[in-house]
Amino acid sequence: AKEKSKGEWEMELHLSLAEITLRLLMALIMGGVIGTEREYKNRPAGLRTHMLVCLGATIIALTQVEIATNSLQLAREFPELIPVLRADQTRLIAQIVSGVGFLGAGTIIVSNRSIKGLTTAASIWTVAGLGIAIGMGYYLIAVCSFVGIILSLTVINRFIRVNALKKMEIRYVHRAETKEFIMNYFDENQIKVESLDFDVEFFEDHRIYTNIYTVDLPKKMTYSQVMEDLSRYKNITKIRIVDI
């Protein structure tokens, strides 16, 4: 077999312009598709953010591939340097994983006992992982991961619905009769009360009571339906749903 020349070895080791372009385009397209879904749902991080995160992770992964390639090339040309050469391909990637965590944290909003943006933060972190797979040239992992991300953000919600426990804050006047009305409504509709927090505000001529119920609804009911039903009662002044 004909021995390969030095130039042929270098061409095989280094990524071609076409390969680099392909990986960057994949990052832009896949990150863009995921970002479009987030943009459509009016989330804090949308199209451009997801594209840039995926592209940035790909660029860093490509750089890491080239660093490893240069180390192999040096080892081939100068065998005496092998003991001191370092080309850990996980070093830069580890920095991506930790660094993107700070970016994702910026999309999480905590207000009035509710938390928003967790899914977007997770999608940003996952898109970074997608960019790493693309940049390293693991196309099968990248494509399968892309499909999984899209399914988790769009399709799964249509087939799997979890009626999660929520806190329902109800403000009212005339304690005895209103509390009786609320509990009767819960019993009639088979709504299970997991816990109850109670608060009262004192005024000169009246008192305002606040009950915070942690409730578990039957599958046939929704929280919006419960709120609409309860709001019809004259003594109830405010109803609010708070995510746990």
Side-chain angles (χ1 to χ4, degrees):
K2 182 181 177 182
E3 189 176 342
K4 294 180 181 178
S5 65
K6 178 180 175 182
E8 287 174 330
W9 274 106
E10 289 181 0
M11 288 181 64
E12 282 190 7
L13 286 172
H14 286 282
L15 295 170
S16 66
L17 177 60
E19 184 70 16
I20 293 171
T21 304
L22 172 64
R23 296 185 189 186
L24 293 175
L25 281 174
M26 281 183 67
L28 285 171
I29 293 169
M30 291 183 177
V33 171
I34 296 166
T36 300
E37 189 275 340
R38 295 283 85 193
E39 188 100 28
Y40 175 73
K41 293 184 177 177
N42 196 28
R43 297 311 185 210
L47 175 65
R48 289 180 297 176
T49 302
H50 282 77
M51 288 177 71
L52 287 172
V53 169
C54 195
L55 184 64
T58 302
I59 292 169
I60 294 173
L62 284 170
T63 303
Q64 183 65 75
V65 169
E66 285 300 298
I67 291 172
T69 298
N70 288 335
S71 297
L72 287 172
Q73 201 171 313
L74 283 171
R76 181 176 176 275
E77 293 179 5
F78 305 101
E80 65 275 12
L81 294 178
I82 291 176
V84 296
L85 284 175
R86 295 290 183 271
D88 184 0
Q89 294 205 36
T90 64
R91 187 172 298 173
L92 282 178
I93 291 171
Q95 302 308 312
I96 297 173
V97 174
S98 59
V100 169
F102 288 100
L103 181 61
T107 68
I108 300 173
I109 301 170
V110 181
S111 64
N112 295 325
R113 300 180 183 174
S114 65
I115 301 174
K116 298 179 181 178
L118 283 175
T119 302
T120 301
S123 70
I124 289 175
W125 185 76
T126 310
V127 162
L130 180 63
I132 292 169
I134 295 170
M136 298 297 291
Y138 301 132
Y139 297 122
L140 184 59
I141 294 175
V143 172
C144 292
S145 301
F146 172 71
V147 173
I149 295 168
I150 293 298
L151 287 175
S152 65
L153 289 175
T154 57
V155 179
I156 287 179
N157 233 17
R158 300 177 186 177
F159 295 98
I160 302 175
R161 292 189 177 274
V162 180
N163 216 3
L165 291 177
K166 291 181 183 291
K167 289 184 180 290
M168 179 177 291
E169 181 182 302
I170 304 176
R171 290 169 62 90
Y172 59 91
V173 294
H174 304 302
R175 184 184 65 82
E177 61 182 273
T178 308
K179 188 175 180 181
E180 183 181 359
F181 166 79
I182 294 170
M183 295 311 298
N184 287 339
Y185 176 83
F186 287 165
D187 291 338
E188 289 171 6
N189 292 277
Q190 298 178 337
I191 298 172
K192 185 179 179 182
V193 178
E194 300 288 343
S195 64
L196 170 63
D197 296 321
F198 179 78
D199 183 53
V200 58
E201 294 179 61
F202 294 90
F203 298 92
E204 290 183 2
D205 57 342
H206 68 285
R207 297 177 183 180
I208 295 180
Y209 304 91
T210 301
N211 285 6
I212 301 177
Y213 298 93
T214 303
V215 293
D216 184 10
L217 300 187
K219 292 182 179 179
K220 61 181 180 180
M221 297 196 74
T222 63
Y223 287 97
S224 58
Q225 180 185 343
V226 174
M227 290 177 66
E228 185 178 349
D229 291 343
L230 291 175
S231 64
R232 294 172 183 169
Y233 191 64
K234 60 181 180 180
N235 291 340
I236 293 177
T237 60
K238 180 181 178 181
I239 303 176
R240 190 168 67 94
I241 296 297
V242 181
D243 292 332
I244 296 176

